[in-house]
Amino acid sequence: MLTESLAAFISQAPEAPEETRQMLRLSMLDWAACGISGATEPVSRICREMVCEESGLGEASLFGTAERVPARGAALVNGATSHALDYDDTHFAHIGHPSVAVMPAALALAEGAGATGAALQEAALVGIEVSVRVGVWLGRSHYQTGFHQTGTAGAFGAAAAGARLFGFDARQSAAALGLVATRASGLKSQFGTMGKPYNAGLAAANGVEAVLLVAKGFVPNPEGLECAQGFGPTHAGEANDSALAGLGETWLFDGISHKFHACCHGLHATLEALGGMNRPAPEEVQAVEITTHPRWMTVCNQPAPETGLGAKFSYRMVAAMALSGVSTAALASYSAEMCADPALRALRDCVSVVADEALAETEARVRITLKDGTVLEAAHDLNAPMRLEDRAARLMAKAEALIGEDRTGALWALIEAAASPEAIGRALAP
C-alpha cells in the first residue's frame, strides 16, 4: 500500500497550512544561499564543467554560471552544489537532507515546463514530504547498513516533486516512484569526500529522469519500491508502515531542522548546548565530556582531523573551536590551519565523546570540568520548539553571511512573491 498511498498523495495533496508553506519558503532561501555560496567548491566546479561540456537544451539554470543546460544535468549540478558545504537542512525522522535532493529537481523541471512559482513551491513541498515519508519507511536499519538517505529517499522525493509539477495522476505518480526505485543510490562511505554532495545531485537527477521518461509513456513496475526484490527489501528497508500515519493531514516536513553551524548536523546539539552556557576561558578547562546518541559515533566523531572537511565531522574539534571563541557558523573556520593550531589541538585533546542510547538522536549533553574542580553542565535537543520568527531571523542572518545582505534580500523577495522558476533560476547565477 506504500506506493499506492504516496501516489494518491502526490496527485491529490491538499494545500498545506500557511506556517508549513512559510517553512518551505525559508528552506528554499536556505537551499539557494548554500548553493550560491558553494558554487566555487571543487565538486561543484567539476560537476558543472561535465554537464556544460555535454551541452544540450538550454532549459534550466545552474549555480555558478549563467549557462543553461538540460533539466537532468541541472538537477545533478545544483544538488551537488547545494550540498557541497554541508550547510543545508536536515530531517532527523530519517536522517536525510531533503532540500538538496528535491529543490534542484523541482526547479529544473519547473523551468523547462514553464510552471508558475506557486506550482514550484507546491511541488517542492510535496516532494520533500514524500522523501521524509519514504525515509521513515526505510528506517534506521537502511541508514545504519550504509545507505545515505539523502541519495536514496531523496530520489523518491525528487520524483514526487516532478510528478506533482507535471500534473501526473496516481497511476503515473506510482510509475515515477517505481522507476526511480531502480535508480536511487547513495552510500555513507562517501562521507568526508566529494562523493557525499554528489549523492544529493544523483538523487535530484534520478528523480528528473524518472519523471521525464514516465511523461513519455515509459512503463516500469510501479511497485518497485516495496515489492519482492524491490528497493526496500534489497536495501535493508524496515517497511515501517507508521510512515503513512497522517499522510495528507499532517506534514512531517514541519519537523525540518536548519543548520546554524557549518558542520555535520550531528554536532549541532553539542554546539547549541555550548552556546547556551557561560563558557570558561580555554586555559581554565581540565576536561570536556560530550554525550551523544550512538548513531553519531560513526558519522561525526573524527578524533583528530587534519583538514577543514574533517573538522566538520569532529565533536572534539568543533568543541575546541567553540570554547576558544572560533565561529562554528563561519565557513572559513574549517581549515587545515585551524586543525593545526597548537592551542586548539591542546583543547581538542581534553575532549572525550561517549554514547548513551537513552538520548534522542537530536540531543547532546556537555559536561566541562575546570582545573579548580568546578563542573559546568548544559544540554540541548534540536527538536526543542523554535518560533517561526526566530528561525527566520537566524536563517536570514545565515544567508546574509553566506551571500551578502543585498543578494539575500533580493532572493527572499522573489521567494516570498512566488516568482517564476526562471526568475529564481537567474538569481542563482553569479
Side-chain angles (χ1 to χ4, degrees):
M1 294 294 292
L2 178 70
T3 297
E4 182 180 345
S5 298
L6 292 175
F9 172 74
I10 292 167
S11 62
Q12 302 169 16
E15 184 175 73
E18 172 55 27
E19 186 163 322
T20 300
R21 288 182 281 130
Q22 181 67 357
M23 187 80 88
L24 184 280
R25 290 189 282 269
L26 288 172
S27 277
M28 183 175 285
L29 172 68
D30 188 55
W31 167 76
C34 288
I36 292 168
S37 186
T40 57
E41 292 294 300
V43 65
S44 309
R45 174 184 55 78
I46 291 168
C47 290
R48 187 166 59 244
E49 287 179 357
M50 181 192 73
V51 167
C52 288
E53 286 169 2
E54 290 177 342
S55 190
L57 291 174
E59 58 186 354
S61 303
L62 297 175
F63 286 116
T65 180
E67 190 167 346
R68 294 171 66 84
V69 299
R72 181 173 52 173
L76 174 68
V77 172
N78 291 342
T81 300
S82 54
H83 197 43
L85 300 178
D86 218 323
Y87 211 176
D88 48 286
D89 60 25
T90 305
H91 206 297
F92 287 103
H94 69 307
I95 313 182
H97 300 267
S99 288
V100 294
V102 175
M103 296 279 190
L107 179 61
L109 289 171
E111 286 190 88
T116 66
L120 165 62
Q121 293 186 14
E122 178 185 67
L125 180 56
V126 167
I128 291 175
E129 185 71 13
V130 168
S131 74
V132 176
R133 299 273 181 170
V134 170
V136 172
W137 184 82
L138 290 169
R140 289 297 190 265
S141 65
H142 174 75
Y143 185 80
Q144 286 302 102
T145 296
F147 296 110
H148 187 194
Q149 288 264 34
T150 302
T152 57
F156 294 95
R164 177 73 174 199
L165 197 66
F166 275 32
F168 281 4
D169 59 22
R171 179 187 61 80
Q172 292 171 302
S173 297
L177 294 175
L179 181 56
V180 84
T182 206
R183 293 285 282 164
S185 58
L187 298 175
K188 286 166 61 183
S189 61
Q190 295 296 337
F191 283 15
T193 76
M194 293 184 194
K196 184 174 190 284
Y198 180 64
N199 287 344
L202 284 177
N206 287 336
V208 166
E209 180 176 302
V211 167
L212 292 176
L213 287 171
V214 169
K216 292 182 178 297
F218 195 105
V219 182
N221 178 353
E223 296 180 353
L225 174 53
E226 77 264 41
C227 68
Q229 297 189 325
F231 185 84
T234 59
H235 288 69
E238 295 177 359
N240 295 324
D241 289 338
S242 62
L244 297 176
L247 181 64
E249 299 174 358
T250 60
W251 294 81
L252 296 187
F253 170 72
D254 288 341
I256 199 78
S257 185
H258 296 96
K259 285 190 173 185
F260 304 116
H261 307 275
C263 55
C264 177
H265 223 144
L267 305 173
H268 285 218
T270 294
L271 290 170
E272 290 291 311
L274 285 168
M277 66 192 307
N278 292 321
R279 289 172 294 186
E283 61 272 16
E284 297 177 317
V285 175
Q286 178 71 39
V288 179
E289 183 180 88
I290 296 169
T291 305
T292 186
H293 187 277
R295 188 86 59 200
W296 303 114
M297 299 297 280
T298 58
V299 176
C300 49
N301 192 32
Q302 293 190 24
E306 297 181 355
T307 67
L309 186 56
K312 291 185 174 188
F313 292 86
S314 173
Y315 278 105
R316 301 179 78 206
M317 191 65 201
V318 297
M321 291 163 61
L323 287 168
S324 300
V326 176
S327 173
T328 53
L331 297 172
S333 296
Y334 300 85
S335 66
E337 292 74 19
M338 196 70 72
C339 291
D341 182 271
L344 284 174
R345 288 168 73 98
L347 188 54
R348 178 202 71 193
D349 291 342
C350 294
V351 180
S352 61
V353 185
V354 297
D356 184 351
E357 290 187 352
L359 288 180
E361 293 168 340
T362 52
E363 286 184 283
R365 293 196 305 264
V366 177
R367 179 185 174 90
I368 302 176
T369 303
L370 305 185
K371 292 176 180 177
D372 66 4
T374 302
V375 174
L376 307 174
E377 294 183 308
H380 187 79
D381 187 341
L382 296 177
N383 278 339
M386 179 185 294
R387 295 190 311 160
L388 191 61
E389 49 267 41
D390 293 337
R391 185 187 300 269
R394 292 190 72 175
L395 286 174
M396 205 65 67
K398 171 185 170 181
E400 289 173 357
L402 287 173
I403 62 175
E405 184 177 349
D406 290 345
R407 195 166 189 183
T408 296
L411 187 57
W412 181 239
L414 290 173
I415 293 170
E416 275 206 305
S420 69
E422 291 78 9
I424 297 293
R426 286 193 297 271
L428 306 184

